[in-house]
Amino acid sequence: MKKLMEQMAEELSAAFEKSGYDPSYGKVTVSNRPDLCEFQCNGAMAGAKAYKKAPFMIADDVVAYLKDSQVFSMAEVVKPGFINLKVKGEFLADYLKEMAADEKLSVSAAKEPKTIIIDYGGPNVAKPLHVGHLRSAIIGESIKRIGRFVGHKVIGDVHLGDWGLQMGLIITELKHRKPELVYFDDSYTGEYPEEAPFTISELEEIYPCASGKSKEDEAYRNEALEATHLLQQGKPGYMALWNHIMNVSVTDLKRNYDKLNVSFDLWKKESDAQPYIPGMVEEMKEKGFAYVDQGALVVDVKEENDTKEIPPCMLLKSDGASLYTTTDLATIVERMKLFDPDEILYVVDKRQELHFIQVFRCARKTGLVKDDTKLSFLGFGTMNGKDGKPFKTREGGVMRLETLIKDINEEMFTKIVENRSVKDKDAKETAEIVGLSAIKYGDLSNQATKDYIFDIDRFTSFEGNTGPYILYTIVRIKSILNRFAEEGGNLEAGTILDPVNDSQKNLMLQLTGFGATVENAFEEKAPHKICAYIYEVSNAFNSFYHETKILSEENEAQKASFIQLLKLTKKVLETCIDLLGFSAPDRM
Ligand code: ARG
């Protein structure tokens, strides 16, 4: 359906044309003087030069054709030549009725749906999820949902890190602790046990322990490197251990992502790309892209206009081992083969930017992707503590995601119980729902590329630009609608009428912005625009609520109109928070 802004621009363009000017001057923008008007058109100013006429004269001509407009209740010329506009209440009400009936609430489905793979999450097997992985999960999940809503085929891939040194470290540490396990017996030829020789908590303790040792003990580190190598060669005992590590970790990861309301279509992993490496490397050599430099196999990726040095992309180390780059390139080969995507979007820490510049350039140069396959990198900033440094535990260690969620939920629980409208049993559940909104909104309301400060007190507040404030607004609407129904009201009756006061008109105008906001948020991969939008809508709703008697309205048709407007507001807010990846409780 046509956006309100488009319909207004059409009306203005027609008036420009009728008065003998180019219709392209009929653009409409939101007013920057909300005290004077709702919208404005600056086309007469722009046209003055072309027509060698004073702008107000052009504006006067145009406005004459807007006198009987069905769209505007006011079209006024302000010197030197601005056209100030106000929308007719009836037109606005009709627009919202159409929007409410539209399945996508006025968002136009993508004309050419694209297949887009989003690479996000990126956890590493056997290492606990930490806050560094939080942003990728939250932002990626939201962009996936927005992309689907605007009509694309979006495939989310967690791209597990399962192939690096961490595996060799765990195997090595296990071997030191339990050398008697069959996995280390080279003469063993039987089946390996089905049960893993460790639990997830043991695994999470083993990794940091091994990682610490390898930093101090060179022999230990070499042992781990050797184990990694043997695993990558397919040594049966190590492969069996790798399988155990995978199963135990993935179960745990899924549980954690579930809690975050984050899910993936694909649970692909770095090791899945390994079979594509030999062929890919061969081809790069044959085509003359890859050459040996100081023993390593590299591809040049620097370009003429580079302002900083972009080092060559390394494919194989001198010992023949592959690298992070190699894996990412081979993953592109695999993705092209399996899904032929129009775009692959990586949602990864911006400190990895150089890596992706190298990978993208190399993939393009060597023809791993088609000319029109987009490779995009959304590099996000760091989540910092109040001290402005990367978020840590009180003791200075890496904060585990589970701990962070627990802290937020406890804080939320306290606040909700203080509110005392909810019973204790419900309060726990509610705290989890609201806590998730605090974390996600706190993150998503910032532009993704920027660093931000994780501030539990601010994020969990019911006031201000926070997730809980948005949920509070939704809950308030739900409770009015419930009360209306309990009093025997029919939620389906009536229709949205002209606004009765300014705050209602403002709410109605805000609601019309939904379509453009969501389309633009996808275009720019910017969930923060949806946050900014629902903050405005919530403010507009709360002003309307404070200034208008809703349930005590005596005119039945008017009351029904308010109810329909509440329903639409609720639908817009709920759709938006779903796009952000959280939901609202019934009470809080
Ligand atoms: N596992 C990586 C890390 O923890 C992130 C992976 C990002 N995705 C990718 N295709 N490289 O840093």
Side-chain angles (χ1 to χ4, degrees), residues 119 122-124 133 159 161 270 324 328 335 346 348 352 355-356:
D119 179 314
N124 300 308
H133 294 112
H159 196 69
E270 291 178 350
Y324 189 39
D328 262 325
R335 287 177 176 160
Y346 297 81
V348 184
Q352 293 193 23
H355 164 79
F356 284 100

Side-chain angles (χ1 to χ4, degrees), residues 64-78:
Y65 284 98
L66 294 172
K67 290 236 143 48
D68 307 313
S69 167
Q70 300 302 303
V71 178
F72 299 110
S73 60
M74 179 194 100
E76 223 172 59
V77 179
V78 183

Side-chain angles (χ1 to χ4, degrees), residues 49-95:
K49 221 175 155 193
Y51 295 103
K52 297 196 176 62
K53 245 184 181 178
F56 75 87
M57 290 169 77
I58 301 178
D60 275 338
D61 293 344
V62 173
V63 160
Y65 284 98
L66 294 172
K67 290 236 143 48
D68 307 313
S69 167
Q70 300 302 303
V71 178
F72 299 110
S73 60
M74 179 194 100
E76 223 172 59
V77 179
V78 183
K79 288 221 166 124
F82 299 108
I83 303 175
N84 284 357
L85 302 161
K86 279 189 183 169
V87 176
K88 260 200 175 129
E90 208 185 323
F91 177 74
L92 191 54
D94 284 345
Y95 183 87

Side-chain angles (χ1 to χ4, degrees), residues 428-500:
K428 247 204 141 63
E429 227 174 87
T430 308
E432 280 175 23
I433 300 175
V434 185
L436 189 61
S437 83
I439 298 180
K440 287 197 165 186
Y441 192 93
D443 188 305
L444 292 169
S445 55
N446 302 284
Q447 203 176 318
T449 51
K450 299 236 163 85
D451 297 350
Y452 75 96
I453 291 179
F454 190 88
D455 181 344
I456 292 201
D457 292 336
R458 191 167 76 74
F459 289 2
T460 56
S461 168
F462 287 128
E463 279 151 41
N465 191 7
T466 69
Y469 169 66
I470 307 290
L471 297 195
Y472 195 80
T473 307
I474 296 175
V475 166
R476 171 174 272 168
I477 299 176
K478 283 188 181 180
S479 98
I480 303 171
L481 292 176
N482 282 342
R483 223 173 335 130
F484 174 73
E486 277 159 20
E487 287 166 8
N490 177 359
L491 287 167
E492 303 312 318
T495 180
I496 299 178
L497 304 172
D498 294 14
V500 297

